[in-house]
Amino acid sequence: MPHLNKKFTIIADDFIRAGEVSIQIQSILKSIGFKPDVIRRASVCAYESEMNVVMHGDDGTFSLDIDEDLIRMEVRDQGDGIADIKLALQEGYSTARPEHIAQGFGAGMGLPNIKKNSDRLEIESKKGQGTCLKIYINVHDSNG
Amino acid sequence: MTAMAKSAKNPGNVNYVWIDETRCNGCVLCMKACSTKAIRVKENRLAVIEESMCIDCGECIRTCPRGAIKTAAAEDGNVDLSKAVLIVSPVLYTQFGANADPGKVISALKKKGFLHVYDECHAQELFNIAVEKYIRENRDRPGVSLPLISPVCPVAVRLIANRFPTLLKNIIPLLPPRELSAREARKQLIKLHGLEKKEIKVFSITPCSAKMLSIKSPILVEQSYLDRAMGINSVCNYVVKHLQSGCRTDPTHKTSGVGIGWCMSGGEIAAMEEGNFLAVSGIKETIRYLEKIEMGMLNGIDYVEFRTCAEGCIGGPLTVCDKYQAKHTVQRIVRTVGPERTVKKEMALQLYEKGWFFTKKKNEPCLDEPSQRSFSRAIERQEKVENIHQQLPGKECGICGSPDCRTFAEDVVDGRASLEQCIFYRRVPRKPRPASGGTSGGSRDTGSNEKRQVSKK
């Protein structure tokens, strides 16, 4: 089965380039021709997870895997990690710093948005040991 | 496509943006400037425009140092001017610096023999009121996706239709002011002069290289109410001559500060009552914002005014005056005549209720339901593109004839170019390229390089 893998690096605190990785991912998904809804959901997940790394993650890597049934995104960073994953998944819970809030981020919707727009989300994280998100999106008949 | 090739494909149409081969020397500047990657510099070392990808934005016209890129010459010798109407973009008023008096410009154009000369300002003011009303009515309706998008800039509309078809539904279904003006001018002429609908020709004087395309293959209307577009640059000399010979102000002309403000980026939304509006100008910025909107990254905004020319229509490729000087003139005229509306709101709202502003055409993106097989082919293609891209030097030089390394990789995979066209691929033994621009990885095909080096010995 044809399979595409592409890796990206995300630079921490670089708000000028923030969002570039998601835009590239969106463009790849578009050129493959997935349904607009699938592209939108994948783009939202990519963007939110990219922003998480930019704001909290130190530097990180973004790995995109695509085959004809599944889009898989693995986002890894070396940041502080998430102390309480359950809490982090609650809408409105935010650990954003004032400088993030000043830029319009930090509404506490990052992880909840990824959860809402993906078909499966796995979070591996421990305080002080970085975070790894695995996001899965079905290309066919998924409900989001 | 060259001029001739383009007209062969569009029989009966004039060409829109085309390359004059006698002037083109095959440099890469237009190709680099093209935001839809529609230009290639081919074997014969001349630039060619891929018609299906070109949106007539005019970025290449502005960039070419040799003046080799041109737009449709809209002069038509056979038109009987006594049955023709001119719809003037107020940008024309901004091209003459201190001499700018809109009434005099209108008077000069009337001397050319046109039956009537109108400007778009009146329709722009009415349009503003209609948009306010439309936003109020639809903002909170379920199923409406925000932000709504202005239908005014023809390049932005075509860009959305070509590259962001899911956003077509965000474009508000109102006719842009130039179409409203043209429709009403035609109606008025039939009434006043008893002319047949078909006899009347409606011309637009415009700063915009995409007007011709928007007239001949419109997206937002079934058929345009305009017949022809002429560049501002094609009438400027004529107007200047008349201004210098001291022509008088047209007594019937009423200058509208609102309409003249429209020439600048932000002018359309500036004339609307309070709301969450955003103005974006420049082709690259427009694309960036459309990407954001598509990803749902732009929240809290009800309406976006896009102008793909930097600073708005005063930055149009068919203007003659520098956009910043034109902006200065706009501000000066608005200060003189005042920023108030000249139309009555009640009248506009009555017209709105009658459906006067609305386009009848429904804009649904025609998206084919993709099949499993087409996914698998597309993924395979993308994989090949990534592999080739990894082998390229990432110099983004354009010497191969494609605008950047990634597009070159796509061209190679699609059979439009051969890898040998990359001079670095040919000459330099390849090393793994470090991650740059946020990307890295993908499998590299080093095998073919070794083979090639062996064969050279």
Side-chain angles (χ1 to χ4, degrees):
Chain A
M1 189 157 57
H3 169 250
L4 175 75
N5 169 264
K6 195 164 162 63
K7 290 188 173 61
F8 306 84
T9 53
I10 304 172
I11 304 163
D13 295 319
D14 184 349
F15 283 90
I16 305 283
R17 258 169 286 268
E20 280 298 315
V21 171
S22 349
I23 284 173
Q24 284 188 49
I25 288 171
Q26 186 193 36
S27 132
I28 290 172
L29 298 178
K30 264 189 178 182
S31 67
I32 291 172
F34 290 123
K35 284 185 215 156
D37 180 55
V38 170
I39 298 174
R40 188 190 56 79
R41 293 196 295 116
S43 306
V44 170
C45 293
Y47 177 68
E48 295 288 7
S49 51
E50 180 184 0
M51 289 318 299
N52 276 345
V53 177
V54 172
M55 289 190 282
H56 307 291
D58 246 334
D59 292 348
T61 57
F62 196 121
S63 173
L64 172 73
D65 281 279
I66 302 173
D67 62 40
E68 55 199 51
D69 297 316
L70 192 68
I71 300 170
R72 203 172 139 263
M73 296 184 265
E74 192 178 302
V75 191
R76 223 172 251 284
D77 70 48
Q78 299 121 41
D80 284 343
I82 304 170
D84 185 341
I85 293 175
K86 215 172 146 194
L87 194 59
L89 278 165
Q90 274 178 21
E91 288 191 8
Y93 176 78
S94 173
T95 54
R97 296 194 293 269
E99 64 266 33
H100 302 147
I101 293 163
Q103 301 212 39
F105 299 105
M109 291 305 290
L111 283 179
N113 249 345
I114 299 173
K115 178 101 183 139
K116 199 168 83 187
N117 284 288
S118 61
D119 291 301
R120 203 168 101 211
L121 170 65
E122 292 166 10
I123 308 174
E124 293 163 21
S125 182
K126 265 190 195 142
K127 190 77 191 155
Q129 289 177 22
T131 302
C132 176
L133 295 187
K134 288 179 184 163
I135 303 162
Y136 302 84
I137 290 167
N138 291 331
V139 168
H140 316 282
D141 60 57
S142 52
N143 307 313
Chain B
M1 288 281 136
T2 61
M4 266 155 71
K6 209 170 179 178
S7 49
K9 261 196 165 179
N10 284 322
N13 281 7
V14 283
N15 313 295
Y16 313 121
V17 175
W18 58 282
I19 290 165
D20 180 348
E21 292 180 1
T22 60
R23 290 195 180 186
C24 174
N25 73 342
C27 76
V28 298
L29 294 177
C30 60
M31 180 175 80
K32 287 284 193 189
C34 177
S35 56
T36 59
K37 303 192 195 316
I39 301 180
R40 301 288 183 278
V41 180
K42 286 278 169 72
E43 290 291 302
N44 58 7
R45 309 315 297 161
L46 296 178
V48 283
I49 300 173
E50 178 59 43
E51 190 187 356
S52 63
M53 293 163 80
C54 175
I55 53 171
D56 279 29
C57 70
E59 206 60 38
C60 53
I61 301 176
R62 266 191 283 262
T63 308
C64 180
R66 305 172 68 90
I69 307 182
K70 297 176 175 174
T71 47
E75 292 289 352
D76 189 334
N78 300 324
V79 171
D80 178 359
L81 288 188
S82 70
K83 288 174 184 164
V85 196
L86 204 54
I87 308 289
V88 178
S89 157
V91 173
L92 181 66
Y93 306 145
T94 68
Q95 304 292 296
F96 311 105
N99 290 329
D101 172 358
K104 282 185 183 169
V105 175
I106 292 283
S107 154
L109 288 169
K110 277 190 175 166
K111 283 197 181 141
K112 215 169 177 184
F114 287 98
L115 187 51
H116 273 286
V117 180
Y118 301 95
D119 69 18
E120 289 174 27
C121 296
H122 185 69
Q124 285 165 334
E125 291 194 20
L126 294 171
F127 177 86
N128 271 147
I129 298 167
V131 172
E132 278 169 15
K133 172 98 172 141
Y134 186 86
I135 294 172
R136 267 201 306 278
E137 279 184 353
N138 291 281
R139 184 170 36 203
D140 302 319
R141 224 157 43 86
V144 169
S145 51
L146 293 176
L148 296 163
I149 295 175
S150 162
V152 172
C153 174
V155 178
V157 168
R158 200 162 297 273
L159 191 62
I160 291 170
N162 288 4
R163 277 186 55 187
F164 304 91
T166 57
L167 297 180
L168 271 174
K169 62 181 186 312
N170 295 46
I171 302 178
I172 58 170
L174 306 183
L175 289 168
R178 59 178 183 278
E179 293 289 343
L180 293 170
S181 303
R183 187 186 66 191
E184 293 312 301
R186 201 181 288 263
K187 265 193 218 161
Q188 217 167 11
L189 252 59
I190 294 170
K191 216 162 104 188
L192 285 176
H193 302 274
L195 292 170
E196 290 285 321
K197 201 172 176 181
K198 276 187 191 152
E199 284 180 291
I200 304 164
K201 295 283 173 229
V202 186
F203 284 53
S204 150
I205 290 191
T206 175
C208 174
S209 55
K211 258 346 131 43
M212 264 328 278
L213 192 59
S214 85
I215 293 171
K216 295 295 173 188
S217 6
I219 293 174
L220 299 179
V221 287
E222 292 294 351
Q223 205 185 350
S224 173
Y225 294 100
L226 288 156
D227 292 297
R228 270 297 168 88
M230 306 158 68
I232 280 178
N233 51 10
S234 72
V235 297
C236 264
N237 280 345
Y238 174 86
V239 175
V240 167
K241 238 181 259 167
H242 278 265
L243 289 179
Q244 283 169 349
S245 70
C247 73
R248 268 187 248 151
T249 295
D250 185 77
T252 59
H253 180 77
K254 200 169 164 193
T255 306
S256 148
V258 170
I260 291 178
W262 266 61
C263 300
M264 301 184 295
S265 166
E268 182 189 342
I269 59 169
M272 301 206 293
E273 284 165 10
E274 205 152 310
N276 296 311
F277 312 135
L278 186 77
V280 176
S281 77
I283 184 88
K284 289 202 171 78
E285 296 298 283
T286 299
I287 292 174
R288 200 162 66 84
Y289 266 84
L290 288 171
E291 282 165 345
K292 276 189 178 193
I293 294 173
E294 210 176 37
M295 290 205 279
M297 283 157 56
L298 191 70
N299 299 318
I301 301 289
D302 296 329
Y303 184 73
V304 186
E305 168 205 309
F306 283 114
R307 297 289 187 269
T308 57
C309 293
E311 297 288 330
C313 302
I314 43 172
L318 307 186
T319 54
V320 293
C321 176
D322 176 78
K323 55 182 177 288
Y324 298 108
Q325 282 169 27
K327 193 174 176 180
H328 168 76
T329 307
V330 170
Q331 287 161 338
R332 206 180 56 82
I333 300 177
V334 174
R335 263 202 302 278
T336 317
V337 299
E340 294 80 23
R341 279 180 183 155
T342 61
V343 301
K344 288 212 171 67
K345 193 170 175 180
E346 301 75 50
M347 182 188 75
L349 292 175
Q350 273 171 18
L351 291 171
Y352 182 91
E353 295 305 332
K354 281 189 208 156
W356 192 82
F357 293 98
F358 285 81
T359 171
K360 290 182 190 83
K361 194 176 173 191
K362 286 261 174 292
N363 268 306
E364 299 293 336
C366 46
L367 300 168
D368 303 326
E369 190 63 22
S371 68
Q372 187 107 0
R373 255 184 70 205
S374 72
F375 281 156
S376 113
R377 264 205 305 270
I379 294 169
E380 222 168 310
R381 172 184 176 273
Q382 200 62 37
E383 226 183 321
K384 286 181 192 159
V385 170
E386 297 299 337
N387 282 342
I388 291 176
H389 186 229
Q390 277 306 312
Q391 297 172 59
L392 298 174
K395 302 259 184 213
E396 316 291 356
C397 63
I399 296 171
C400 60
S402 300
D404 50 51
C405 292
R406 171 158 290 277
T407 313
F408 177 61
E410 288 172 359
D411 285 352
V412 171
V413 171
D414 297 339
R416 286 195 295 263
S418 106
L419 251 179
E420 304 295 309
Q421 283 167 246
C422 173
I423 56 165
F424 296 100
Y425 181 87
R426 275 202 310 243
R427 289 178 192 158
V428 183
R430 279 154 291 135
K431 283 185 210 134
R433 193 150 53 85
S436 66
T439 68
S440 69
S443 59
R444 273 178 305 103
D445 178 9
T446 44
S448 67
N449 187 31
E450 281 157 22
K451 268 181 224 150
R452 281 166 33 76
Q453 283 175 341
V454 170
S455 68
K456 262 185 196 167
K457 287 174 194 169

